[in-house]
Amino acid sequence: MCSTGSNTELQPTTSDPALLLELKTRRPPSLLDLAGCETWSVDFSPDGAWFAWSMGHGIVWVVAWPLDSEEGQDGETDRADKSFSCGHPVWGLAFGPKPPRSTTVAPPTIPSKGKSSLFLATGLENGVIKVWNVLTGNAVFDLHGHEGVVRNLVFPRNGTLTLISSSRDKTLRIWDLAHKGKKVQVLSGHKDWISCCCVSSDCSMIASVGRFDRMVCLWSLRSYTFMRNLTGTNKKLCLLSSCDFSPDGAVLATAAFSGSSWWIDLWDPYTAEKLATLA
């Protein structure tokens, strides 16, 4: 998806049986294929009711999912498509807070005059993180501190208003949105751009990968300290691009590439043992 515009079109296709549909937007021909129109990040809301993607030129589009869904059960939720103009290219985005997997407790919300909120955090090229109220379409507040592109954002799955961000400024930041981001922990240790970060299912660990320093770092989300660096990538001249924990948190997968080749390393995050390499 690589587009900019204001109206969503559903483009069914039959050429590839594995492809269900494409989301495209109407955009001026003058913007087609220009730098800045790339889609860098997408995300589903925790309940699967919304889908968001960065469309380029500082625009994030949010659509109700599935696309033919009607208004909410209470008849009050606005299910219309929404666009958020962030003013700068959007490199990362994430819905939150994410409720715990094993409970049905409603997630906490930032105290406000309105009702319970679903938030969308957007990481911008200028280092700012803008937090939006999806249901109202309003910007809630900005988070300042990063000095480079905010490449990745993630809410831990424990129902808290905690947001973790990773940036090209070589740091991760842990924001407390319940206090509007005024309480923040900074994790330093990477020697170059951080490509991606993720959180274990028990919310005890953060993993991060450095694009050029080839570091796979594990951090404690409880004490905000560095735990260990996983070493042993197949090639010295490679770029690390992403990481993710398995649903049970027992395995960490990291993706890397070099030239035209790519591979995925599987790690035991508790012993630092490399379990397998998928190439």
Side-chain angles (χ1 to χ4, degrees):
M1 289 178 289
C2 196
S3 52
T4 289
S6 59
N7 294 303
T8 302
E9 295 179 348
L10 176 60
Q11 301 287 335
T13 179
T14 58
S15 60
D16 185 347
L19 181 62
L20 298 178
L21 56 89
E22 288 182 82
L23 290 174
K24 293 187 176 181
T25 55
R26 302 189 185 103
R27 58 200 181 278
S30 60
L31 298 180
L32 196 61
D33 298 327
L34 292 181
C37 72
E38 301 89 353
T39 288
W40 289 111
S41 186
V42 300
D43 196 23
F44 279 101
S45 63
D47 61 0
W50 299 94
F51 177 75
W53 78 95
S54 59
M55 300 186 344
H57 301 287
I59 304 296
V60 173
W61 202 259
V62 180
V63 297
W65 197 268
L67 294 180
D68 58 355
S69 60
E70 302 295 336
E71 63 182 4
Q73 293 180 353
D74 57 7
E76 298 179 357
T77 302
D78 181 6
R79 301 286 285 166
D81 293 359
K82 307 172 189 298
S83 67
F84 302 134
S85 180
C86 300
H88 293 269
V90 179
W91 285 75
L93 55 83
F95 283 103
K98 293 184 177 179
R101 293 180 183 274
S102 58
T103 69
T104 57
V105 177
T109 60
I110 295 177
S112 66
K113 297 179 181 179
K115 55 185 179 181
S116 298
S117 300
L118 172 66
F119 297 103
L120 179 67
T122 55
L124 309 186
E125 188 173 73
N126 66 348
V128 174
I129 300 171
K130 295 186 76 70
V131 180
W132 304 83
N133 184 318
V134 175
L135 302 183
T136 66
N138 297 326
V140 182
F141 48 76
D142 294 351
L143 305 177
H144 296 271
H146 279 302
E147 298 178 355
V149 172
V150 179
R151 189 62 187 89
N152 197 218
L153 297 164
V154 61
F155 285 90
R157 190 173 287 276
N158 58 5
T160 63
L161 282 167
T162 301
L163 176 66
I164 296 122
S165 59
S166 60
S167 170
R168 286 185 179 178
D169 67 6
K170 311 175 189 178
T171 70
L172 297 104
R173 289 176 180 259
I174 305 171
W175 311 83
D176 182 359
L177 300 191
H179 294 85
K180 298 184 178 181
K182 294 180 180 179
K183 292 185 177 181
V184 59
Q185 300 287 336
V186 180
L187 305 181
S188 301
H190 278 280
K191 299 176 183 178
D192 218 307
W193 294 359
I194 302 176
S195 298
C196 184
C197 63
C198 58
V199 180
S200 61
S201 56
D202 64 357
C203 302
S204 65
M205 284 187 293
I206 303 171
S208 60
V209 294
R211 185 174 181 84
F212 298 107
D213 63 15
R214 296 179 292 279
M215 295 176 67
V216 181
C217 296
L218 293 178
W219 315 81
S220 171
L221 187 51
R222 294 168 178 165
S223 63
Y224 310 119
T225 56
F226 175 80
M227 297 172 61
R228 62 183 65 91
N229 179 29
L230 306 181
T231 59
T233 55
N234 284 351
K235 299 181 180 181
K236 292 183 178 180
L237 298 177
C238 69
L239 301 176
L240 290 175
S241 59
S242 61
C243 59
D244 200 10
F245 283 97
S246 61
D248 61 1
V251 177
L252 174 68
T254 60
F257 65 94
S258 177
S260 60
S261 62
W262 62 269
W263 61 94
I264 297 174
D265 289 324
L266 303 180
W267 308 84
D268 182 331
Y270 297 96
T271 65
E273 176 188 1
K274 183 188 290 186
L275 304 175
T277 297
L278 311 176

